[in-house]
Structures are given as C-alpha cells and as structure tokens.
Amino acid sequence: PRARQFLGGRRVLVTGAVGSIGREVVLQALQGEPATIFGMDINESDLYDLQQESKQQGWESEFVPIVGSVCDRNQVDRILHATRPQVVFHAAAYKHVPLMEDYPHEAVRTNVGGTNVMARASAQWGVERFVMVSTDKAVNPTSVMGATKRIAELIVQEVGLTTDLSTCSVRFGNV
C-alpha cells in the first residue's frame, strides 16, 4: 500500500536501470503501480533485454528504455523535459571498490558529476522526489568509491536544502 501511495499512477525515472541495483529498483517500483517507468542506462543491450522482459511479463506499468548518460547535462535536460518524471531513483554509479581505485577519475566523473547533474536537473525540471542509492562505504570512507558516494550524498542534501526538490539518500550494505 505505501508503495502505491508513493508511486501509483506516477512517472518514475530510474537511472542505472539495468545495473545490479537499478534493475532491482525497477522491479520493486513496479509493485507501486506507476503509470510509466523510464529506465535510463548507458548499457543498451541490457536495456533492450529488460524492455523485452517487460513485454513478455505483461507489466501493468509501461517500461520505456532510455539510452543515456547521467554525466551529460544537455542529454539529461532533454530526457527530463521529454519524460517529466515525478520521482527519480538515481542508481547510476560505479560501485566496485577495487576497479575505482584503478580508475578514480571515472568514479569522480560518474558518482560525483553524474549525481550533481541528475539532482540539479531534477530540481530544475520540477521532479517532486529524488532518491539516491548510496552505500555503507560512504560512512567514514576509506576508498575512492566510498568517498565519491559520500560527496554525492552531500550534493543531494545541498540540492534538497536549496531547492523545492525533496531529496534523500538511502545506503545499502555491501554495495
């Protein structure tokens, strides 16, 4: 019932929609019976597969795949303008600690920059609720990935305090 109150009949955008967490967010959000779920990801192959699954399963909610990057502000603006989501679940991020130690610039670009782009664009385009998926590694971070997710949490908090966008970050363990 609470999921329906939050999502029922609404337009929902999930970033990182075919990643390990984003896909689960999509599947869980379906239980809230949104009108439409827009699944945004840079992985077009898995987006296609999820779209085909949505057709085979006969989901009540429409699933619309969107190939795009959260790091591209112009593209994000076009997507938010066209889709007008009411709720954004921001799950797009790099999450593997050892890889991000080797590629810290990518962790900063996506986890910090992509979150900044999505949160600020969401505020600008009238999104009502912005939920960022974070990690327990953002608590007293000891890795590049954890530090980037902590910075992302602070960005989301600042956007929530300085705009009309209702924001929150949720931390998952072992992410």
Side-chain angles (χ1 to χ4, degrees), residues 37-77:
I37 295 184
F38 301 98
M40 180 178 170
D41 208 295
I42 58 174
N43 181 339
E44 56 86 23
S45 183
D46 285 347
L47 266 177
Y48 176 81
D49 291 346
L50 188 56
Q51 179 188 39
Q52 296 310 302
E53 180 182 340
S54 76
K55 291 176 181 178
Q56 291 170 357
Q57 297 295 325
W59 295 343
E60 291 292 320
S61 303
E62 179 184 16
F63 177 78
V64 178
I66 299 172
V67 177
S69 171
V70 297
C71 297
D72 183 335
R73 177 63 194 250
N74 291 331
Q75 185 178 46
V76 167
D77 282 337

Side-chain angles (χ1 to χ4, degrees), residues 3-175:
R4 275 190 216 100
Q5 288 175 338
F6 185 54
L7 301 176
R10 303 179 99 185
R11 293 176 310 280
V12 175
L13 171 66
V14 179
T15 70
V18 296
S20 57
I21 294 168
R23 180 179 170 81
E24 189 61 30
V25 170
V26 168
L27 296 175
Q28 292 296 318
L30 286 168
Q31 296 178 23
E33 300 176 357
T36 307
I37 295 184
F38 301 98
M40 180 178 170
D41 208 295
I42 58 174
N43 181 339
E44 56 86 23
S45 183
D46 285 347
L47 266 177
Y48 176 81
D49 291 346
L50 188 56
Q51 179 188 39
Q52 296 310 302
E53 180 182 340
S54 76
K55 291 176 181 178
Q56 291 170 357
Q57 297 295 325
W59 295 343
E60 291 292 320
S61 303
E62 179 184 16
F63 177 78
V64 178
I66 299 172
V67 177
S69 171
V70 297
C71 297
D72 183 335
R73 177 63 194 250
N74 291 331
Q75 185 178 46
V76 167
D77 282 337
R78 285 191 303 274
I79 290 166
L80 293 180
H81 174 73
T83 62
R84 297 294 179 156
Q86 295 156 295
V87 179
V88 171
F89 289 100
H90 178 57
Y94 286 119
K95 299 171 179 77
H96 293 91
V97 171
L99 276 175
M100 294 306 96
E101 293 299 313
D102 292 338
Y103 298 95
H105 55 284
E106 287 298 320
V108 170
R109 185 177 68 84
T110 299
N111 296 358
V112 175
T115 299
N116 188 52
V117 165
M118 283 306 305
R120 293 187 191 288
S122 292
Q124 177 185 337
W125 288 101
V127 171
E128 297 166 17
R129 297 281 308 209
F130 184 92
V131 180
M132 184 187 93
V133 176
S134 191
T135 172
D136 60 347
K137 292 169 185 63
V139 180
N140 300 317
T142 59
S143 66
V144 169
M145 192 280 285
T148 61
K149 292 300 280 184
R150 179 64 183 135
I151 294 167
E153 288 178 358
L154 294 171
I155 289 168
V156 169
Q157 181 180 29
E158 187 268 333
V159 170
L161 291 171
T162 59
T163 70
D164 292 332
L165 180 61
S166 176
T167 65
C168 69
S169 295
V170 293
R171 290 179 176 158
F172 288 93
N174 220 14
V175 174

